[in-house]
Amino acid sequence: MSGFSPELIEYLEGKISFEEFEQRREERKSREKEGENASAEENEDDVEAPSSSRKASGKSQSRDETDGETADGVSKSVHRVFASMLGENEEEEDDEEEEEEEEEEETTEQPTAGDVFVLEMVLNRETKKMMKEKRPRSKLPRALRGLMGEANIRFARGEREEAILMCMEIIRQAPLAHEPFSTLAMIYEDQGDMEKSLQFGLIAAHLNPSNTEEWVRLAEMSLEQDNIKQAVFCYTKALKYDPTNVRYLWERSSLYEQLGEHKMAMDGYRRILNLLAPSDGERFMQLARDMAKSYYEANDVTSAIEIVEEAFTKHQSLVSMEDVNIAAELYISSKQYDKALAVITDFTGIVLEKKVPEKSATEEKKDTGAVVETQESQEAVTDDQSHPVAESSAPAVEKVSCCIPEGVPIDITVKLMVCLIHLNILEPLSPLLTTLVEQNPEEMGDLYLDVAEAFLDVGEYNSALPLLSSLVCSERYNLAVVWLRHAECLKALGHMERAAESYAKVVDLAPLHLDARISLSTLQQQLGRPEKALEALEPMYDPDTLAQDANAAQQELKLLLHRSTLLYSQGKMYGYIDTLLTMLAMLLKQFLLFSQVF
């Protein structure tokens, strides 16, 4: 394989990947192109010296005659042998002889240096034009086509070794032709050597890149060999020549997800959304739904909201309850409660009505009297002053009622409650809370917690406490995080004894929760239990963990700091000094470790 390029040899030997092979090949082509440009500039400088050009053309002409080669660089005798093997008719041979005679007559005219230069310029333009064309063009010289056909015939007859040798000879003489590589790929596939078949197939596709179906086939072969990156590369090549193919985009995006490249996958899915026709609304909505969930899991709420809004704008008639639930969840997580409420009321049939209570007869008389008194007082004011007539002294309070049709899922009802709580619209919550507490907390505990946390956020602790109490009494939601919220609620309401019990439960369930320990210690100290206050601040980690985990050491230092302060406030100086020495020893160890690293 001495006639092959070095990058091709390294790729076939398995030393480099196909991506590296293509990159090196492109770099070599760019270097050769720069060399050609430099030689072209030298030719321009030599135009004024026609005698040397004539001598060079004469030498090249004599060399062609002595070598007896065709314009493609292949021996005429070899060409005639393979033509006879394929049984070419005499008419084709006569035509070729006539063409050769015409070429010889043209060469005997002794062209001038200017003619040679013009011819080179024309050939360069034609070559560049051929390279820019997207339609497939065979780069197999005419003299080697017979040999290529013979190689295919040998392969069909089962003479694989002879076919391989012929293909290798063609590659040596015409390394840019894709046909011998394609034949080699088929030969090795027939032999069961899928790895070599894929290698030669990739080179063939590289030399004939506009064949998108071949790139897709190679992508599937790469997946069979668990080479996902190479499959992505093949789909990217296919999309270069068929950028609107939804299937290719979908497959590549799925592969990007498997590689963990979330952004690239989402960019591909976005292109699919832009390519889907308006009549393909169901597919659009399903893809937008999946993308919104994926963005949400990746903590990219802004992009998720953009996808959902686009889907709601383009296909309003296809919006389902699931879509409403997703949109409301996204808006609530970004604290856009007004938009979440608007989505819920627009697409679920839920109606919020404002009602102004009617005034009684006594209230109307009071209002009328107030208006008369105001008018009499305004008459005493000078004419150049103007004041509006006062309205009712006590403006009517608007009440909001909520009407929820049947069939609305409880998840959406709970999200409606969360929005109303944060928007301080508390009037319609009573019947909604009744509906919620009718649900089993073992099954709907997450919904209980959502509403309870919304009440805690706005300071409605009395409304949150019954929901949290139901959760801590359940088996499934008897968790540290729920007990912590329960303790915070009790503490805010002033129930210190019960709050201390809840904090103690948190410490039992999560012994490494530093904030819970500090809160429990503070409450025990306020309740007059100094020993229990110190007990809550006992060390959390063992020495081995502190020596290996820097984060654990930081947490332990914070706890010891609070413990030392508590000991000092209790007048226990011995324990106070002992805790300080422990802290100093830990800090010294961290300093020594830090100095060893740097």
Side-chain angles (χ1 to χ4, degrees):
M1 294 192 297
S2 58
F4 297 166
S5 61
E7 66 271 7
L8 178 59
I9 296 174
E10 291 185 12
Y11 171 65
L12 294 177
E13 291 178 351
K15 294 181 179 179
I16 60 175
S17 64
F18 183 73
E19 292 84 350
E20 294 173 334
F21 159 75
E22 187 179 51
Q23 182 180 1
R24 292 188 185 181
R25 191 181 184 91
E26 294 297 331
E27 291 175 356
R28 183 171 59 82
K29 284 184 178 180
S30 62
R31 289 195 299 268
E32 291 176 355
K33 189 175 181 180
E34 291 176 357
E36 291 176 0
N37 293 335
S39 62
E41 292 177 358
E42 292 177 359
N43 291 335
E44 291 179 1
D45 296 335
D46 295 340
V47 169
E48 297 179 357
S51 59
S52 60
S53 299
R54 290 194 186 97
K55 292 178 181 179
S57 61
K59 291 180 181 178
S60 62
Q61 180 180 353
S62 61
R63 190 181 301 115
D64 290 341
E65 291 175 356
T66 56
D67 293 342
E69 293 181 350
T70 63
D72 298 316
V74 183
S75 174
K76 294 181 180 180
S77 60
V78 173
H79 177 66
R80 285 195 294 270
V81 168
F82 284 109
S84 63
M85 291 172 65
L86 294 176
E88 293 181 348
N89 55 33
E90 297 178 356
E91 293 179 0
E92 293 179 350
E93 292 180 355
D94 295 336
D95 293 337
E96 291 177 359
E97 290 177 357
E98 291 176 2
E99 291 176 1
E100 291 173 1
E101 290 176 358
E102 292 175 359
E103 291 175 359
E104 291 176 357
E105 291 175 0
E106 291 175 359
T107 55
T108 57
E109 293 178 0
Q110 296 292 331
T112 62
D115 294 337
V116 172
F117 176 71
V118 171
L119 181 59
E120 288 180 353
M121 296 296 292
V122 171
L123 290 175
N124 287 334
R125 284 197 297 268
E126 291 296 327
T127 303
K128 291 180 181 179
K129 185 176 180 182
M130 288 171 58
M131 293 177 65
K132 291 181 179 179
E133 288 181 351
K134 290 186 177 180
R135 67 186 184 89
R137 181 186 293 273
S138 176
K139 296 181 181 179
L140 186 65
R142 181 183 299 177
L144 293 175
R145 292 176 187 173
L147 183 58
M148 188 70 249
E150 177 65 17
N152 290 324
I153 292 174
R154 293 293 180 91
F155 169 52
R157 291 174 180 173
E159 301 174 4
R160 299 190 185 94
E161 296 300 327
E162 292 79 358
I164 291 174
L165 292 176
M166 290 181 180
C167 290
M168 289 298 182
E169 176 61 22
I170 296 172
I171 292 172
R172 189 186 67 80
Q173 298 190 43
L176 297 181
H178 67 88
E179 291 88 349
F181 291 102
S182 298
T183 301
L184 286 171
M186 290 188 292
I187 293 173
Y188 284 112
E189 183 178 3
D190 187 61
Q191 291 180 346
D193 192 346
M194 303 307 296
E195 185 176 355
K196 270 198 170 182
S197 175
L198 180 58
Q199 280 185 336
F200 284 106
L202 286 169
I203 299 174
H206 171 76
L207 297 174
N208 185 28
S210 60
N211 190 347
T212 56
E213 294 181 357
E214 182 64 16
W215 282 116
V216 173
R217 189 183 71 84
L218 294 171
E220 294 171 353
M221 290 180 64
S222 300
L223 290 176
E224 291 176 359
Q225 299 182 16
D226 296 328
N227 195 338
I228 299 177
K229 286 187 176 181
Q230 190 165 277
V232 169
F233 175 82
C234 293
Y235 277 117
T236 302
K237 284 291 187 179
L239 285 167
K240 182 179 180 181
Y241 294 92
D242 192 2
T244 60
N245 193 303
V246 174
R247 185 173 74 87
Y248 299 167
L249 284 168
W250 186 278
E251 293 294 338
R252 189 180 67 168
S253 299
S254 301
L255 294 176
Y256 273 132
E257 283 189 300
Q258 295 181 32
L259 293 173
E261 299 186 18
H262 180 264
K263 184 179 182 303
M264 299 297 293
M266 292 299 106
D267 290 344
Y269 288 136
R270 279 181 176 269
R271 287 178 60 184
I272 294 175
L273 287 180
N274 295 330
L275 291 172
L276 289 177
S279 59
D280 204 358
E282 290 290 347
R283 191 175 181 184
F284 188 100
M285 293 299 295
Q286 182 59 47
L287 179 56
R289 198 177 297 128
D290 295 338
M291 290 180 65
K293 293 178 182 178
S294 183
Y295 274 127
Y296 184 68
E297 292 173 357
N299 295 324
D300 191 355
V301 179
T302 303
S303 299
I305 290 175
E306 291 177 359
I307 292 295
V308 169
E309 289 179 345
E310 182 180 357
F312 279 39
T313 302
K314 291 184 176 180
H315 302 283
Q316 290 187 5
S317 60
L318 298 177
V319 175
S320 63
M321 289 294 181
E322 182 184 359
D323 300 324
V324 174
N325 192 33
I326 293 173
E329 178 69 27
L330 293 173
Y331 283 128
I332 290 173
S333 63
S334 61
K335 301 187 183 305
Q336 301 182 47
Y337 303 106
D338 52 346
K339 291 186 177 181
L341 182 61
V343 167
I344 293 173
T345 54
D346 289 345
F347 293 96
T348 62
I350 296 176
V351 179
L352 292 175
E353 293 181 346
K354 292 182 180 180
K355 293 183 179 180
V356 180
E358 297 181 358
K359 299 178 183 178
S360 61
T362 56
E363 289 177 345
E364 290 181 356
K365 289 180 180 180
K366 290 180 181 179
D367 292 344
T368 305
V371 172
V372 172
E373 290 178 1
T374 304
Q375 290 177 348
E376 291 176 355
S377 62
Q378 285 179 350
E379 291 176 357
V381 182
T382 55
D383 295 336
D384 59 342
Q385 294 178 346
S386 61
H387 296 281
V389 178
E391 296 180 355
S392 174
S393 59
V397 178
E398 294 181 345
K399 291 186 177 181
V400 180
S401 63
C402 180
C403 179
I404 301 178
E406 295 182 1
V408 176
I410 186 65
D411 302 66
I412 295 179
T413 303
V414 166
K415 287 179 174 58
L416 172 66
M417 296 171 65
V418 171
C419 294
L420 294 175
I421 292 169
H422 282 94
L423 294 174
N424 200 26
I425 306 174
L426 305 179
E427 292 85 2
L429 288 178
S430 180
L432 300 180
L433 280 172
T434 303
T435 303
L436 176 61
V437 297
E438 290 175 355
Q439 308 295 323
N440 186 358
E442 297 288 351
E443 299 176 357
M444 301 292 179
D446 55 336
L447 302 182
Y448 274 67
L449 188 59
D450 289 342
V451 177
E453 289 183 335
F455 277 127
L456 292 176
D457 291 342
V458 299
E460 293 288 336
Y461 301 105
N462 286 315
S463 300
L465 185 58
L467 298 174
L468 293 171
S469 299
S470 299
L471 289 176
V472 296
C473 293
S474 65
E475 294 182 3
R476 186 177 177 184
Y477 289 91
N478 184 21
L479 305 173
V481 63
V482 180
W483 277 106
L484 181 62
R485 303 298 276 168
H486 187 252
E488 292 171 350
C489 185
L490 289 170
K491 183 180 178 181
L493 291 172
H495 304 315
M496 299 302 178
E497 185 70 32
R498 294 174 59 192
E501 295 176 358
S502 296
Y503 276 120
K505 190 68 175 178
V506 176
V507 173
D508 290 340
L509 295 173
L512 301 181
H513 199 296
L514 178 61
D515 293 336
R517 282 177 171 270
I518 294 173
S519 298
L520 176 59
S521 177
T522 304
L523 282 178
Q524 296 288 21
Q525 183 72 14
Q526 292 176 2
L527 293 171
R529 302 167 184 167
E531 295 301 327
K532 289 191 175 181
L534 287 173
E535 183 181 347
L537 297 179
E538 290 291 335
M540 297 186 297
Y541 298 96
D542 57 87
D544 293 336
T545 304
L546 293 175
Q548 298 175 3
D549 191 347
N551 187 35
Q554 291 291 331
Q555 295 288 316
E556 191 74 10
L557 282 171
K558 290 180 182 179
L559 183 137
L560 291 175
L561 179 61
H562 282 86
R563 182 179 175 84
S564 64
T565 305
L566 183 59
L567 287 167
Y568 183 81
S569 65
Q570 293 179 1
K572 298 181 179 180
M573 304 308 295
Y574 178 79
Y576 170 68
I577 294 174
D578 183 64
T579 305
L580 287 180
L581 291 175
T582 304
M583 293 172 61
L584 289 173
M586 291 180 60
L587 290 171
L588 181 60
K589 287 181 180 179
Q590 289 190 358
F591 176 77
L592 291 175
L593 290 174
F594 182 81
S595 61
Q596 289 177 1
V597 172
F598 293 94

